[in-house]
């Protein structure tokens, strides 16, 4: 019955829905004594955090995954989410799982940036989010909100980590962008620190200097045109200034990102939704989103940005959450044209 009323459509996947297996997660020893391994994996640092609010790991961390083959993100049968990051202290791998009966999150981290990731665990799981501020004013949003009480808006505190894959998604299909992200991270990133029995194929994204030094032919082989690669190089050269945006209010953070040529409203919003947990960072300039929201809330599949913003006006301060709940509901207009054709300029 759950599948009938909550279908896993491409629209829902775009809304950040990621399935996390309902396994029995390992628990760091010395943190919680019940059944589990005798101790944290070698070299791991551990932490537990009592969320007290029934966080859904798949919905909360799902927007950080860039496709099913993302080399920086994995889910495992034991109910854990594995995420790699390049923190200000260096590369790190985080494994986080949830004890559903108590709402307590258990985390282990490896690498030079392990402490930084563990310190940010509450924000990553939505501790700075305020879901009570959202008041549904449409029947569809009320139903979507009620069915997903564990949805929280994540905050990574890392701008470049979300900005670069978002630039890769400009003007191409998601499949093309995911392929480019996978190829570039696996070629220029670092193998993720962690236990030998961790998920295979995990990598940490390259540092800013490495992004700036990728040669033009490797961008081409990855299917990234000169416009997007140049924008990424410009971002990498001012990475430190961009990272400061993670501590700014939304208008100032948006202005900081959009000061870089090649970064517009669509890219800045998609980035700040993840790095800053910005509940009001509504995405404009999108090819499909206005039509999806217009169709879901007003039956108008031809809505433009102005009409979308008018429909979302009652949710001021929570417009990104409202848009996500529409996407998660999977209520998209039926197709009336073929999908955008996939291309691979790397073959040219």
């Amino acid at each position: 019955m759950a599948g009938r009323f909550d279908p896993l459509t491409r629209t829902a996947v775009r809304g950040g829905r990621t399935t996390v297996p309902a396994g029995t997660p390992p628990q760091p020893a010395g943190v919680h004594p019940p059944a589990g391994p005798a101790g944290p994996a070698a070299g791991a640092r551990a932490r537990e955090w009592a969320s007290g609010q029934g966080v859904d790991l798949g919905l909360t961390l799902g927007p950080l995954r860039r496709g099913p083959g993302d080399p920086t993100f994995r889910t495992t049968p034991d109910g854990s989410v594995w995420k790699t990051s390049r923190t200000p202290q260096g590369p790190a791998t985080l494994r986080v799982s949830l004890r559903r009966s108590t709402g307590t999150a258990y985390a282990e981290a490896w690498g030079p940036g392990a402490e930084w990731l563990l310190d940010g665990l509450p924000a990553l799981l939505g501790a700075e989010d305020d879901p009570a501020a959202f008041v549904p004013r449409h029947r569809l949003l009320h139903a979507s909100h009620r069915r997903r009480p564990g949805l929280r808006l994540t905050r990574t505190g890392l701008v470049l980590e979300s900005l670069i894959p978002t630039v890769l998604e400009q003007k191409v299909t998601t499949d093309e962008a995911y392929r480019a992200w996978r190829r570039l991270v696996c070629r220029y990133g670092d193998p993720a620190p962690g236990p030998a029995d961790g998920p295979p194929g995990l990598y940490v994204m390259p540092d800013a200097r490495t992004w700036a030094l990728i040669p033009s032919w490797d961008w081409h082989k990855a299917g990234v045109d000169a416009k997007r690669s140049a924008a990424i190089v410009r971002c990498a050269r001012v990475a430190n200034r961009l990272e400061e945006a993670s501590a700014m209010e939304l208008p100032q953070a948006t202005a900081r990102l959009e000061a870089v040529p090649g970064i517009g409203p669509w890219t800045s919003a998609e980035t700040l939704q993840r790095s800053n947990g910005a509940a009001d960072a509504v995405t404009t300039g999108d090819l499909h989103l206005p039509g999806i929201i217009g169709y879901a809330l007003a039956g108008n599949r031809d809505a433009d940005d102005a009409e979308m913003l008018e429909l979302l006006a009652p949710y001021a301060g929570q417009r990104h959450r409202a848009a996500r709940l529409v996407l998660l509901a999977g209520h998209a207009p039926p197709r009336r044209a073929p999908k955008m054709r996939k291309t691979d300029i790397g073959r040219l």
Side-chain angles (χ1 to χ4, degrees):
M1 294 295 286
R4 175 183 174 187
F5 294 105
D6 198 12
L8 185 60
T9 63
R10 289 182 67 89
T11 304
V13 170
R14 177 179 174 177
R17 182 174 167 193
T18 298
T19 301
V20 177
T24 302
Q27 303 174 64
V31 174
H32 196 68
R45 297 181 180 273
R47 178 181 181 179
E48 73 171 23
W49 176 65
S51 66
Q53 53 186 4
V55 175
D56 186 310
L57 281 183
L59 290 177
T60 300
L61 300 182
L64 304 180
R65 187 182 77 156
R66 305 291 178 160
D70 187 349
T72 70
F73 191 105
R74 291 283 191 277
T75 60
T76 50
D78 63 8
S80 299
V81 172
W82 294 71
K83 176 77 178 72
T84 70
S85 293
R86 189 170 291 278
T87 76
Q89 275 70 53
T93 301
L94 177 73
R95 175 173 67 186
V96 59
S97 55
L98 199 68
R99 183 62 60 184
R100 292 177 174 83
S101 59
T102 62
T104 301
Y106 299 91
E108 290 178 292
W110 298 261
E115 287 289 353
W116 193 94
L117 281 184
L118 292 177
D119 288 344
L121 180 66
L124 188 71
L125 297 183
E128 299 177 9
D129 182 31
D130 182 16
F134 179 77
V135 180
R137 300 182 184 275
H138 293 83
R139 181 175 297 179
L140 176 75
L141 282 172
H142 176 76
S144 184
H145 183 57
R146 177 173 51 83
R147 290 172 185 163
R148 299 169 180 87
L151 171 63
R152 302 291 181 272
L153 301 183
T154 186
R155 182 185 182 280
T156 66
L158 298 169
V159 173
L160 212 65
E161 177 181 285
S162 295
L163 180 58
I164 288 177
T166 301
V167 174
L168 292 175
E169 292 172 6
Q170 293 176 350
K171 306 296 184 181
V172 297
T173 65
T174 53
D175 289 342
E176 292 173 77
Y178 292 160
R179 182 177 64 224
W181 172 249
R182 185 168 59 249
R183 289 181 178 181
L184 291 168
V185 170
C186 290
R187 178 170 178 79
Y188 289 99
D190 300 319
D197 59 350
L202 272 179
Y203 284 81
V204 181
M205 65 170 270
D207 59 20
R209 184 174 185 275
T210 302
W211 283 112
L213 294 177
I214 294 177
S216 59
W217 54 87
D218 274 349
W219 288 112
H220 184 82
K221 288 179 181 178
V224 183
D225 59 79
K227 185 175 181 180
R228 287 180 291 153
S229 63
I232 291 174
V233 170
R234 285 192 289 267
C235 291
R237 288 173 177 168
V238 292
N240 291 337
R241 294 285 288 164
L242 293 179
E243 292 295 348
E244 293 173 359
S246 65
M248 296 178 179
E249 295 297 322
L250 181 58
Q252 291 74 29
T254 299
R256 176 65 61 89
L257 266 61
E258 293 180 12
V260 179
I263 307 303
W266 183 88
T267 306
S268 64
E270 289 284 320
T271 300
L272 296 173
Q273 289 164 8
R274 297 164 172 82
S275 64
N276 292 34
D280 200 45
V282 62
T283 303
T284 56
D286 191 88
L287 180 62
H288 303 291
L289 187 61
I292 293 173
I293 291 180
Y295 179 78
L297 301 185
N300 179 15
R301 65 179 299 155
D302 297 315
D304 57 14
D305 277 342
E307 293 171 274
M308 176 183 72
L309 292 175
E310 184 178 352
L311 288 169
L312 294 176
Y315 304 103
Q318 294 285 316
R319 292 179 297 175
H320 167 51
R321 188 193 305 276
R324 272 202 70 190
L325 288 169
V326 170
L327 292 170
L328 288 167
H331 194 68
R335 290 188 179 275
R336 61 183 180 189
K339 295 180 181 179
M340 181 185 290
R341 185 172 63 89
K342 297 178 184 178
T343 59
D344 185 359
I345 65 172
R347 297 182 179 182
L348 300 178

